Amino acid sequence: MSRRSLLLGLAAGAALTGCGVPAAYVSPGDRAGRDDSARDRSLDFANWPLYIDTDDEDTSARPTLDAFTERTGISVHYTEEINDNDEFFGKISPALMNHQETGRDLIVISDWMAARFVRLGWVQEMDRARQPNVAKYLDPQLRSPGFDEGRTHSVPWQSGITGIAYNRKKLGRELRRTSELWADDLRGRVTLLSGLDESFALLMQSDGVDITRWTPDDFHAVCDRVEELVKRRHIRRFTGNDYIKDLDTGDVLACQAYSGDVIQLQADNPDIEFVVPEEGAELWAESLMIPNLARHKRNAEELVDHYYQPEVAAELAGWVNYVCPVPAARDVLASSKDEETAALAEDPLIFPDDVMRRRLAIARDITSGERTEFAKRWNSIVGL
C-alpha cells in the first residue's frame, strides 16, 4: 500500500488556523536559530511511511539517503512519523507557536497544509544559492504555487494527481469525465474522498471552474450537488485509503483516487484504470520544508538539493511511483537496462505528457478565513 493512501484528510486542525493565526504568527526575524551544520554533520528528517526507496534485502536501508551520507558525511536521522497532516500539525504546532525548536530539520507535508505553515510564518526560506539542482531541475508546473510564490519556503518531495479510477472490466465501458460518475448505473457504486482538501478541487473542475481562482460560490455549488447525491444514495460512502480495497474487489466500480495508488494497484489488477478527466484534474505536491529554529538548516538544504539530482530523483521515482517533480529523471529511467524500470519513463502518471499537463491545475488553497465555515459544511455532508 502506498504512503499517499494513508492520508485520511481530516479537518481537525481548522480551529487553530481559523482562530489562532494572529497569536501564532512568527515574524521573519524570529524564524532562524543557531545553525550547527558546520560542526554537527547531521540532520533530523521526518517523512511519511513508505515514501522513500528501501533495499529489497534490507528494508532498513535507504539507498538514496545512504548515498547522501557517503558523499557528504552528513548522517540523517530519518523517521516515518507523519501519518496524517492534521495529526502532525497538532504534534509540532505547540513548539512552533511558542517559538521553540521542533527537533526536526526537515519535514514533508501536503501543500494545502504547507500553505498553513507559510501563512503562520512557521518555516524558513531556503537558500537557493545552495540548491543549484532545485533551481535547474524543478518541474516548471510546480515552481510557483499560490501559497509560496517562487517556492522560496518549500520544495516538492513528490507530486501526484487526484483523478478518477474505475474497474474497466466490471463497469463494461470507459469513463472520461468526472460527470460520468453520476450515471444511473453507478448508483451506490461510487466513492469520494472524505477529506475536504483532497476532494473539492476535482469536483469543481467537473463544473468547468478554474481551480486556481475558485470562489466560495463554487465551493457551495459542489456541496449542494454532493448533498443531493448523498440523499439519493448515489455515493456509496466517503473514504480514506480504503477505496483501494473496494475498487480491487469490485464493491466499488468508480471512485475519486490518487494516481500513485492506482499505479501500484494495477500491478495486481490490470483491469483498474486511472483517468485524468477531460474537464481537468488536480495536480498536487507534498513538499519539503525547514521548520523555524532548525539546528541544521544548511545540512537540510543540502539534502533537499541531493534529491533534485536527476539520477537520485529517478531512483526515488522508481520506488514510490508518483509524479516525479524532476522531469529530467525521465531520461535516466529510460536508459535503464532493466525493462521494467525503463518502462516507468513512459508512464504518464509518473512523467505526464504535454496533453495530460494541459488538463492539470494546482488549486488555490482554502484560506484561514474560509476554513472553519467550509470544513463545517463539508464534514456535515461527509459525516465526520
Side-chain angles (χ1 to χ4, degrees), residues 209-222:
V209 172
D210 178 357
I211 61 171
T212 66
R213 48 185 176 182
W214 58 269
T215 69
D217 287 344
D218 296 325
F219 173 79
H220 288 297
V222 163

Side-chain angles (χ1 to χ4, degrees), residues 73-121:
I74 299 172
S75 62
V76 182
H77 179 234
Y78 184 84
T79 55
E80 296 183 336
E81 64 168 318
I82 307 176
N83 292 295
D84 176 84
N85 283 288
D86 287 303
E87 178 186 63
F88 187 66
F89 179 91
K91 181 185 291 187
I92 69 173
S93 60
L96 289 165
M97 72 171 58
N98 287 295
H99 300 223
Q100 297 171 353
E101 298 175 16
T102 67
R104 301 159 183 87
D105 301 297
L106 198 60
I107 61 175
V108 176
I109 52 178
S110 300
D111 271 0
W112 63 265
M113 178 61 79
R116 190 181 300 183
F117 277 63
V118 172
R119 284 197 301 266
L120 289 166

Side-chain angles (χ1 to χ4, degrees), residues 119-134:
R119 284 197 301 266
L120 289 166
W122 285 2
V123 289
Q124 299 183 62
E125 185 171 334
M126 295 189 202
D127 182 358
R128 285 289 181 267
R130 302 181 62 84
Q131 297 177 317
N133 292 316
V134 174

Side-chain angles (χ1 to χ4, degrees), residues 217-293:
D217 287 344
D218 296 325
F219 173 79
H220 288 297
V222 163
C223 288
D224 289 343
R225 182 189 311 105
V226 175
E227 205 163 36
E228 180 61 29
L229 289 164
V230 170
K231 289 178 182 178
R232 288 166 32 202
R233 298 185 178 179
H234 189 93
I235 298 172
R236 183 183 183 93
R237 63 193 183 100
F238 296 87
T239 72
N241 67 302
D242 41 346
Y243 75 83
I244 299 172
K245 180 180 71 174
D246 291 345
L247 188 63
D248 191 32
T249 60
D251 291 337
V252 163
L253 297 182
C255 62
Q256 220 174 5
Y258 303 122
S259 55
D261 288 346
V262 176
I263 290 176
Q264 296 179 34
L265 186 56
Q266 287 172 332
D268 298 316
N269 188 343
D271 294 324
I272 303 301
E273 293 280 351
F274 183 86
V275 177
V276 174
E278 292 178 2
E279 314 101 308
E282 182 188 9
L283 178 69
W284 46 261
E286 287 171 327
S287 291
L288 297 146
M289 307 183 89
I290 300 174
N292 289 354
L293 305 181

Side-chain angles (χ1 to χ4, degrees), residues 333-334 336-345:
L333 288 171
S336 174
K337 295 180 180 179
D338 180 80
E339 291 186 7
E340 186 175 340
T341 299
L344 295 175

Side-chain angles (χ1 to χ4, degrees), residues 131-138 143:
Q131 297 177 317
N133 292 316
V134 174
K136 182 176 181 179
Y137 293 116
L138 173 58
R143 282 184 180 270

Side-chain angles (χ1 to χ4, degrees), residues 13 19 34 37 40 75-76 102 127 135 172 183 319 332:
C19 303
R34 187 184 72 201
S37 294
D40 183 0
S75 62
V76 182
T102 67
D127 182 358
W319 200 90
V332 177

